[in-house]
Amino acid sequence: MSSAHTVAADGAIPAPQVPRSRIVIASMVGTSIEFFDFYIYATAAVLVFPRLFFPAGNDTTALLASFATFGLAFIARPVGSILFGHFGDRIGRKATLVGSLLTMGVATFAIGLLPTYAAVGLWAPALLAIMRFTQGVGLGGEWSGAALLATETAKPGKRAWAAMYPQLGAPIGFFFANGIFLLIVIATGYDSVNSGTDHAFLTWGWRIPFLLSAIMVIIGLYVRLKLEETPVFKLAVERGQKVKTPLAQVFKTSWRQLIIGTFVMLATYTLFYIMTTWVVSYGTGKVSDVNGPKLAIPYTDFLELQLIAVLFFAALIPVAGLLADKYGRRPTLIVITSAIVLFGLSFHWFADPSSASAGKMLVFMCVGLGLMGLTFGPMSAVLPELFPTNVRYTGSGISYNTASILGAAVAPFIATWLVSSYGVGWVGVYLAIAASLTLISLIIMKETRDQSLDSV
């Protein structure tokens, strides 16, 4: 066994051989690109795809169909976590991270080239669905790899702080995705309520963010190709501790952790996709929409509110990392998740059409995305800490991405239906129920702050 990667006498894992700054950039840049790709689709799913990729007719039906393709990626994500998790636990974190980034990048670029329903009929939504599924496969392998890169190279007692860097990729990607869309909308003079399908934004403008993603992918690949394998994985290889079938092994030895990890993530996913995807259709929809009353805030104004609110998301992720290292994962997340329950019960006051205003919606989104930063920040430490080294990529990825089906894939669809049937207050009740399930999981979960990552 090479002495360069042997565990020291005090049990400490050796420091990585590459500069810490490179690890931080690689984990954060990669997830920023992945989430940028994901969010430009989320925005287009509300603004573009219902009008261009589905048959003309009922606006609500088209929106729900667009949300269905949006949800396809979440179904694909567990597939990606199994596929990339297998290689991540078998051949290493570095090569797998490169593969996941390429998968996501190619699919996103291709969406920017797709023909519309007017040009090819039903082939348009079919091709859109295929590319969306491929996006999900790529993202399914991305997050857990970036989280492991950060945690498996972290200093003792600083794992949650180190692990918050890949989490910062979410608000960074969100900010750039929506910022670019905002600039294009302003430049083309697009009005989401009154503009027709022949408008420049719907003709070619919406394609620009998808095509620009290619530049970001090239930058991400450059950074990641300069990485080395994590010391923790190197040790497992040298000891002969890799397994042939990580998927079978994780279900055999860590099935409880899979269930707990999935439900620990449930509130995070539900909150985020209510506050970023559904809220756009609710905030910018027509007041007389047959799918229930909406706020009819102009899209550019609403997007500006979102861009302000996402700053709270970004600012509170590091705070959550510090709190989770100081007080532990469980106490920190139990308090934050309890606050999410209370926030869910406040939806009627914040967002009811009879009393809502742009100012109240800004506060509403700042609180919601602030809570998102607090609950999301520690997750890239918590989920990897639940699993041993030889199945960590697979296990953390499956938990993270199965939660995406239960929490995110259906959240915009359920929220849209609840508003039309019972009112916006019930969207908050739905969030509170999801957060309550997360609370139960956190109570059952053992504290992982002091768990060694050098374990099999």
Side-chain angles (χ1 to χ4, degrees), residues 53-55 69 115 117 121-130:
F53 281 81
F54 298 94
T69 64
Y117 183 86
L122 291 176
W123 278 107
L127 291 170
L128 183 65
I130 292 170

Side-chain angles (χ1 to χ4, degrees), residues 195-206:
S195 296
T197 55
D198 59 345
H199 191 276
F201 175 77
L202 292 177
T203 303
W204 54 266
W206 69 271

Side-chain angles (χ1 to χ4, degrees), residues 291-334:
N291 196 37
K294 303 294 178 65
L295 303 186
I297 299 173
Y299 175 70
T300 52
D301 294 345
F302 193 85
L303 197 51
E304 289 170 359
L305 299 181
Q306 270 202 312
L307 291 174
I308 294 171
V310 81
L311 297 178
F312 288 80
F313 180 17
L316 289 174
I317 286 176
V319 173
L322 290 171
L323 292 174
D325 275 335
K326 183 175 182 179
Y327 298 107
R329 292 26 168 168
R330 285 181 72 251
T332 300
L333 287 171
I334 285 172

